Amino acid sequence: MDGWMQAAGQLAQAGLPSLGSLIGGIAGGPLGSGIGGAVGRGAAAAIGAALGVPATPEAITQAVAADPVVAQAKLAGIEADAKVQADYLADVANARTMQLGLVQTHSWVQNMPAIVTLLIFTAWITLTIALYFVQAEIPERVYQLLSQAYGAANLALGTAIAFWLGSSRSSQIKDNQITALLPGAGRR
């Protein structure tokens, strides 16, 4: 496991700190054999492939040591993707921390997601009734505008449901894996 930590440090020194954090997860204590290890091994495979070497700490270390500038250039895209994901996860963690702070201080603002969801649902119900049960009494132009508003309400309702239930299980799993590996992304 020391080999992975050495490779992680070498990547960080070569200007690729996000990749260093990812493969450092292979040796990262209890995470090394679980989610962190799995994502770290995937990162190591991508790094090895980009450098044209096997996904071992020795091969990666040698390739980076041989020419750090070339290694940095070859791995820049992977590093940028890892940084974007880390920034996204940090943003999510910040939003959760803010919401928890509102709950802990008993602020009325903590109820805004529920209030907005109820308003969206009320608009959706109202438009459904107007379009499907009262449509004979609505002028054609007004009916077209209500139809457009109904489409927007459907999208808003879908977004509200995704807020409360999550957008997808696989997305949640991926976020958990990457959050576990990137120390700057915060914890859930």
Side-chain angles (χ1 to χ4, degrees):
M1 291 301 156
D2 288 337
W4 285 118
M5 293 307 290
Q6 182 182 358
Q10 196 170 24
L11 286 168
Q13 287 177 349
L16 304 162
S18 296
L19 293 180
S21 295
L22 283 175
I23 66 166
I26 296 172
L31 289 177
S33 61
I35 294 170
V39 174
R41 285 186 293 279
I47 292 167
L51 295 174
V53 299
T56 64
E58 297 80 18
I60 291 171
T61 301
Q62 288 174 358
V64 174
D67 196 346
V69 175
V70 170
Q72 186 179 23
K74 288 181 177 180
L75 299 174
I78 300 171
E79 172 73 15
D81 290 344
K83 173 100 174 76
V84 167
Q85 188 64 32
D87 291 347
Y88 168 75
L89 292 173
D91 199 32
V92 169
N94 187 20
R96 288 192 174 135
T97 301
M98 182 190 70
Q99 187 66 25
L100 286 173
L102 292 171
V103 170
Q104 291 169 348
T105 60
H106 304 292
S107 171
W108 70 272
V109 178
Q110 73 179 339
N111 298 317
M112 285 308 292
I115 291 168
V116 170
T117 300
L118 288 173
L119 289 172
I120 290 169
F121 187 70
T122 302
W124 183 81
I125 290 289
T126 303
L127 290 166
T128 301
I129 291 169
L131 288 171
Y132 293 105
F133 298 111
V134 192
Q135 66 181 343
E137 301 169 18
I138 300 173
E140 181 63 28
R141 180 66 183 140
V142 173
Y143 182 80
Q144 290 174 354
L145 290 173
L146 288 175
S147 292
Q148 291 174 352
Y150 181 71
N154 276 330
L155 290 173
L157 189 59
T159 302
I161 290 169
F163 173 83
W164 292 106
L165 301 178
S167 60
S168 73
R169 179 76 177 133
S170 64
S171 176
Q172 183 180 16
I173 290 169
K174 174 196 57 129
D175 288 352
N176 288 339
Q177 289 173 341
I178 294 175
T179 299
L181 293 173
L182 298 175
R187 298 281 180 229
R188 288 182 185 218

Short mmCIF file of all heavy atoms in Angstrom, two decimals, residues 162 165-175:
data_model
loop_
_atom_site.label_atom_id
_atom_site.label_comp_id
_atom_site.label_asym_id
_atom_site.label_seq_id
_atom_site.Cartn_x
_atom_site.Cartn_y
_atom_site.Cartn_z
N ALA A 162 -37.46 14.91 -7.78
CA ALA A 162 -36.04 14.55 -7.77
C ALA A 162 -35.34 15.17 -6.55
O ALA A 162 -34.44 14.55 -5.97
CB ALA A 162 -35.36 15.00 -9.05
N LEU A 165 -36.59 12.84 -3.60
CA LEU A 165 -36.28 11.42 -3.71
C LEU A 165 -34.91 11.13 -4.30
O LEU A 165 -34.43 9.99 -4.24
CB LEU A 165 -37.35 10.71 -4.55
CG LEU A 165 -38.79 10.81 -4.04
CD1 LEU A 165 -39.73 10.11 -4.98
CD2 LEU A 165 -38.90 10.28 -2.63
N GLY A 166 -34.29 12.12 -4.92
CA GLY A 166 -33.02 11.90 -5.61
C GLY A 166 -33.28 11.62 -7.07
O GLY A 166 -34.32 11.10 -7.45
N SER A 167 -32.31 11.97 -7.91
CA SER A 167 -32.52 11.83 -9.34
C SER A 167 -32.36 10.40 -9.81
O SER A 167 -33.05 9.95 -10.70
CB SER A 167 -31.59 12.76 -10.12
OG SER A 167 -30.25 12.44 -9.82
N SER A 168 -31.41 9.68 -9.23
CA SER A 168 -31.25 8.28 -9.60
C SER A 168 -30.38 7.58 -8.57
O SER A 168 -29.53 8.20 -7.94
CB SER A 168 -30.64 8.13 -10.99
OG SER A 168 -29.28 8.48 -10.95
N ARG A 169 -30.59 6.33 -8.42
CA ARG A 169 -29.82 5.54 -7.46
C ARG A 169 -28.34 5.47 -7.89
O ARG A 169 -27.45 5.61 -7.06
CB ARG A 169 -30.42 4.14 -7.36
CG ARG A 169 -29.69 3.24 -6.42
CD ARG A 169 -30.03 3.59 -4.98
NE ARG A 169 -29.36 2.64 -4.11
CZ ARG A 169 -28.68 3.00 -3.04
NH1 ARG A 169 -28.62 4.26 -2.70
NH2 ARG A 169 -28.09 2.11 -2.30
N SER A 170 -28.09 5.27 -9.17
CA SER A 170 -26.70 5.16 -9.62
C SER A 170 -25.96 6.47 -9.43
O SER A 170 -24.77 6.48 -9.10
CB SER A 170 -26.64 4.71 -11.08
OG SER A 170 -27.23 5.68 -11.91
N SER A 171 -26.64 7.60 -9.59
CA SER A 171 -26.01 8.89 -9.37
C SER A 171 -25.64 9.05 -7.89
O SER A 171 -24.57 9.56 -7.56
CB SER A 171 -26.95 10.01 -9.80
OG SER A 171 -26.40 11.27 -9.52
N GLN A 172 -26.50 8.61 -7.01
CA GLN A 172 -26.23 8.68 -5.58
C GLN A 172 -25.03 7.81 -5.21
O GLN A 172 -24.16 8.22 -4.46
CB GLN A 172 -27.46 8.25 -4.80
CG GLN A 172 -27.30 8.37 -3.29
CD GLN A 172 -28.54 7.92 -2.55
OE1 GLN A 172 -29.40 7.25 -3.10
NE2 GLN A 172 -28.62 8.27 -1.30
N ILE A 173 -24.95 6.62 -5.77
CA ILE A 173 -23.83 5.72 -5.50
C ILE A 173 -22.53 6.35 -5.97
O ILE A 173 -21.53 6.36 -5.26
CB ILE A 173 -24.06 4.34 -6.15
CG1 ILE A 173 -25.20 3.61 -5.43
CG2 ILE A 173 -22.79 3.51 -6.14
CD1 ILE A 173 -25.68 2.37 -6.16
N LYS A 174 -22.55 6.91 -7.19
CA LYS A 174 -21.35 7.56 -7.73
C LYS A 174 -20.93 8.73 -6.86
O LYS A 174 -19.75 8.89 -6.55
CB LYS A 174 -21.62 8.03 -9.16
CG LYS A 174 -20.47 8.84 -9.76
CD LYS A 174 -20.89 9.61 -10.97
CE LYS A 174 -22.02 10.49 -10.66
NZ LYS A 174 -22.10 11.82 -10.92
N ASP A 175 -21.88 9.55 -6.44
CA ASP A 175 -21.54 10.68 -5.59
C ASP A 175 -20.93 10.22 -4.27
O ASP A 175 -19.97 10.81 -3.79
CB ASP A 175 -22.79 11.53 -5.30
CG ASP A 175 -23.25 12.33 -6.50
OD1 ASP A 175 -22.53 12.36 -7.52
OD2 ASP A 175 -24.34 12.92 -6.42
#
